[in-house]
Amino acid sequence: MCDPKTMRMEAEKRSLDRTDQEMNLVTIQDGIETAWDRLSSQQPQCGFGQLGVCCNNCAMGPCRIDPFGEKAKRGVCGADVDTIVARNLLDDLCVGASAHSDHGREVVEVMRETARGQAEGYRITDGKKLQRLAAEYGIPVSGRSNEAIAEDLANGMLEEYGCIKNHLQLSDRAPEPTRAIWEKTGIVPRGIDREIVEAMHRIHMGVDADYVNILLHAMRTALGDGWGGSMIATECSDILFGTPKPLSSEVNLGTLSTDKVNVVLHGHNPLLSEMIVAAAEDPGMKQYAEKKGAKGINLVGMCCTGNELLMRSGVPIAGNVLDQELAIATGAVEAMIVDYQCIYPSIPATAACYHTRVITTSRKAKIPGAEYMEFHPKTALATAKEIIKRAIDAYPDRDPNRVRIPGKPMKLMAGFSEEAICSALGGTYKPLIDAIVAGSIRGAVGVVGCNNPKIRHDYGHVTLAQELIKRNILVVETGCAAIACGKAGLLLPEAADQAGEGLKGVCNLLGIPPVLHMGSCVDNSRILVMAAKIANELGVGIGDLPIGGAAPEWYSQKAISIGTYFVASGVYTVLGIPPKIFGSQNVLTLLADGVKGITNSSFAVEPDPVKAADLLEAEIERKRTALKI
Ligand code: BF8
């Protein structure tokens, strides 16, 4: 591809955002390999794999079912296509639920170490939330220090991972009609790790072969993530670092600086990134940067750890998951500091083309070619300073002739925790409910999830959000979806001009955007809590509400878990990328239709975001009619 016009067309085809297009062009011109190139080199991708009909679980295999011919209708063990497809889906879901929940466990452990005075630099920031949570767990608060309460709360939450009481406290936040459905169907989550371990057991050859039974357990495992591990991650992060409130900041690759040390914080857990922010504020660090010729230190976020920092401290965010290579290709990144999840293993190879240092920090996520600096709560601040120092040390190696920072940052508004939304409404959801009942707002949709190079970068998120707000449907977002809409200017109050008259009026009245940034992917739990509170006010289940969910560009197993706990909680969910289940008509029918009879919600697959908006709107109207509003 050497013709400049062709290269530009390819760059524009890859991404929606101008700054991303500019950097795509640079990578194409300079031959810097990205996910788009690797996707192309993988073509054609395995058709059996896409249908979910391969089984590589045991040494009698690998097997694959021929979905079209008469031969090979069962694996060597005798599993048919329904069993194999359902088992594979549960396997993927477990990976996603584990990622969220293990992240949550680390936050609780640090909360406990903080309470015991064993974690350097951490403190209890939101004492009120701590006390509210303690009350939910039945922990006495009167006359006790925050530290004593936090230690008990951490122990109570950690117990729920293994769980001998067979009950997750925070699942009681779900409305009674929703919990009754779980009870009746036998999908009440009994523990966070427990459901995942049981799922692994069921996947073993010769255990669960009934696809319905397997999929019901998938729901239970996902509920343990949404109402357990993820919710714990969100709540304890708020306790330690503060519950987000509306604030302004900036987004896109233009947030990188031409004359400061650029440090990109990429990954998921705020435990690391919050300490890096604290370390970078040390005046000694700034002086050190100046000594090396820089004008200071510019911290920017990426992916969900970026969302965590943006939500609480307004740290600018450089981009979402498909931006990680593009950021390095600006030639202006001194260090990319990562913990875990969604970090391309090839990042050190990309960084090797520049002066960029990739620093891994988690014992469970090492990457060959990266520098490793193990991060422990006990010595967190000291390690964070050492990491910043390494970033500064790279600054003199920056080649100014190779620096290409594209465009200007886009402004945005973020920080819409569930508490912040409720307080923007005046401390109660009544005004929102009134607007929904009156029809000026038809309903709400959570647009969540990743980027996937199979879909034009950000196109799915942005187009779907635009379509929904036009139809007076409020959009709440998390993860890479929120970053995509931030780049497109949809997280600004002025974006209400793109909304239908009813939604526009409400947004203008409250001074909020029509697309609300609710946080990282574990913060989808904030959406659950909001839905539960609204359902409780109306005296109905979540499945009765005129709401929906969508993951237009998902790639991650975490998204499978999120989508499944949405559906199991009663939220109709549209996926933009087909999950690997199309090899089994039975699995497909159950998830797209059969489940409706259980949770009054289901999955749909629709790659075209305009058609996805049609589906979501139709579902919202169906629910409105049933509610007689
Ligand atoms: O947890 S949205 S690509 S960054 S998986 Fe990853 Fe997907 Fe982005 Fe956050 Ni969520």
Side-chain angles (χ1 to χ4, degrees):
M1 199 191 301
C2 50
D3 162 39
K5 202 168 146 208
T6 314
M7 287 195 275
R8 177 151 295 274
M9 277 168 57
E10 173 63 19
E12 289 175 6
K13 199 174 95 191
R14 289 180 178 187
S15 291
L16 181 70
D17 174 71
R18 277 282 174 80
T19 64
D20 291 332
Q21 288 175 1
E22 285 310 306
M23 290 320 301
N24 264 306
L25 185 59
V26 167
T27 60
I28 295 166
Q29 284 169 339
D30 293 2
I32 306 292
E33 184 190 280
T34 61
W36 288 276
D37 302 308
R38 293 189 292 273
L39 175 65
S40 157
S41 72
Q42 285 292 332
Q43 298 308 310
Q45 286 180 307
C46 174
F48 293 99
Q50 283 174 339
L51 294 173
V53 297
C54 326
C55 181
N56 202 11
N57 286 358
C58 84
M60 290 188 284
C63 299
R64 63 187 193 190
I65 305 301
D66 180 352
F68 309 111
E70 282 312 306
K71 275 179 66 190
K73 287 298 185 197
R74 288 184 184 269
V76 177
C77 74
D80 67 11
V81 75
D82 298 332
T83 306
I84 289 175
V85 168
R87 253 181 356 200
N88 286 344
L89 184 69
L90 177 58
D91 200 349
D92 277 351
L93 186 150
C94 282
V95 174
S98 307
H100 284 150
S101 300
D102 198 39
H103 157 169
R105 182 195 340 256
E106 286 190 11
V107 184
V108 191
E109 282 175 344
V110 170
M111 185 168 87
R112 185 164 67 168
E113 285 164 45
T114 304
R116 291 175 176 168
Q118 294 167 349
E120 185 203 14
Y122 298 95
R123 65 192 176 89
I124 308 292
T125 301
D126 191 342
K128 283 199 180 129
K129 178 165 265 200
L130 171 70
Q131 300 209 354
R132 281 203 306 276
L133 263 292
E136 284 182 76
Y137 276 79
I139 293 165
V141 295
S142 172
R144 302 183 75 205
S145 69
N146 276 347
E147 286 67 27
I149 299 168
E151 182 167 7
D152 283 354
L153 180 62
N155 284 332
M157 286 174 160
L158 287 171
E159 196 277 316
E160 292 190 337
Y161 277 81
C163 213
I164 46 172
K165 62 182 180 178
N166 289 335
H167 174 65
L168 296 181
Q169 187 56 47
L170 298 180
S171 69
D172 285 358
R173 291 176 170 186
E176 201 281 319
T178 304
R179 280 183 283 130
I181 290 168
W182 298 345
E183 197 74 55
K184 192 168 151 223
T185 321
I187 57 171
V188 176
R190 298 159 298 177
I192 300 165
D193 290 351
R194 184 203 167 136
E195 304 304 1
I196 295 167
V197 171
E198 184 173 315
M200 292 286 112
H201 179 190
R202 287 172 185 238
I203 290 167
H204 189 278
M205 199 292 283
V207 186
D208 207 349
D210 177 341
Y211 76 93
V212 178
N213 209 36
I214 293 170
L215 295 177
L216 287 175
H217 187 70
M219 288 192 184
R220 176 154 56 181
T221 308
L223 289 171
D225 170 4
W227 297 88
S230 280
M231 204 168 279
I232 284 174
T234 296
E235 298 292 30
C236 292
S237 297
D238 284 354
I239 290 170
L240 285 175
F241 307 115
T243 303
K245 296 192 180 81
L247 46 73
S248 296
S249 186
E250 295 182 330
V251 60
N252 78 25
L253 293 169
T255 55
L256 293 166
S257 166
T258 46
D259 48 18
K260 291 183 182 168
V261 175
N262 287 308
V263 179
V264 179
L265 297 158
H266 176 20
H268 281 78
N269 203 322
L271 293 173
L272 166 73
S273 50
E274 284 280 353
M275 281 306 113
I276 302 276
V277 172
E281 278 164 8
D282 184 320
M285 288 292 134
K286 186 158 185 269
Q287 281 163 14
Y288 189 62
E290 285 165 356
K291 209 171 116 197
K292 295 281 177 177
K295 293 219 170 114
I297 302 163
N298 181 44
L299 294 184
V300 295
M302 180 152 289
C303 290
C304 281
T305 211
N307 280 327
E308 300 270 357
L309 294 176
L310 170 69
M311 291 284 287
R312 297 194 179 89
S313 320
V315 173
I317 189 155
N320 40 17
V321 69
L322 272 174
D323 280 303
Q324 55 192 296
E325 290 161 314
L326 303 182
I328 292 174
T330 61
V333 174
E334 274 58 53
M336 185 170 276
I337 300 163
V338 306
D339 50 18
Y340 41 55
Q341 298 169 26
C342 304
I343 295 141
Y344 294 152
S346 55
I347 275 292
T350 316
C353 304
Y354 302 89
H355 70 301
T356 308
R357 291 178 154 192
V358 176
I359 302 173
T360 54
T361 54
S362 167
R363 224 185 287 183
K364 55 188 94 159
K366 296 185 180 178
I367 307 177
E371 297 174 38
Y372 178 60
M373 283 210 64
E374 196 159 306
F375 188 78
H376 291 288
K378 277 194 181 64
T379 50
L381 201 53
T383 311
K385 284 184 188 168
E386 181 55 31
I387 290 174
I388 292 279
K389 195 167 163 291
R390 285 201 193 183
I392 297 170
D393 285 337
Y395 186 77
D397 299 331
R398 187 195 282 191
D399 178 354
N401 297 320
R402 294 188 72 200
V403 171
R404 286 156 296 193
I405 297 172
K408 293 262 172 296
M410 172 63 80
K411 294 207 178 314
L412 59 72
M413 199 172 172
F416 290 97
S417 56
E418 182 274 318
E419 292 86 342
I421 293 175
C422 192
S423 118
L425 290 164
T428 154
Y429 282 105
K430 193 161 178 309
L432 179 60
I433 294 170
D434 288 348
I436 292 174
V437 172
S440 46
I441 295 179
R442 307 302 295 173
V445 170
V447 180
V448 307
C450 326
N451 299 130
N452 184 323
K454 291 177 178 177
I455 286 193
R456 190 180 182 207
H457 184 186
D458 296 346
Y459 171 79
H461 299 306
V462 172
T463 312
L464 178 59
Q466 285 171 329
E467 279 299 319
L468 291 170
I469 62 171
K470 242 193 262 174
R471 303 169 194 215
N472 291 309
I473 295 166
L474 176 72
V475 174
V476 293
E477 298 203 334
T478 58
C480 289
I483 304 168
C485 287
K487 287 188 245 175
L490 292 173
L491 303 187
L492 288 166
E494 302 87 281
D497 289 343
Q498 298 178 45
E501 283 308 311
L503 177 59
K504 182 177 165 182
V506 174
C507 291
N508 286 344
L509 192 70
L510 299 171
I512 59 168
V515 180
L516 301 177
H517 190 337
M518 291 190 75
S520 64
C521 282
V522 292
D523 293 339
N524 284 313
S525 61
R526 299 191 198 277
I527 299 180
L528 293 180
V529 172
M530 184 171 154
K533 287 194 176 174
I534 293 174
N536 279 335
E537 286 221 15
L538 288 168
V540 298
I542 294 176
D544 300 311
L545 296 176
I547 60 175
E553 303 179 35
W554 74 279
Y555 91 85
S556 157
Q557 296 103 317
K558 289 181 280 176
I560 296 178
S561 181
I562 294 164
T564 307
Y565 70 63
F566 269 20
V567 169
S569 301
V571 183
Y572 170 74
T573 298
V574 183
L575 304 175
I577 300 275
K580 292 176 252 171
I581 58 171
F582 280 73
S584 163
Q585 191 55 50
N586 281 333
V587 169
L588 204 54
T589 306
L590 180 70
L591 294 177
D593 193 33
V595 68
K596 273 186 203 154
I598 305 172
T599 63
N600 198 21
S601 62
S602 60
F603 277 107
V605 177
E606 179 48 70
D608 178 342
V610 179
K611 290 186 186 154
D614 293 342
L615 292 175
L616 287 155
E617 187 182 27
E619 177 73 359
I620 282 171
E621 293 305 326
R622 179 175 84 83
K623 299 263 167 101
R624 288 184 65 94
T625 307
L627 279 173
K628 299 194 173 54
I629 56 172

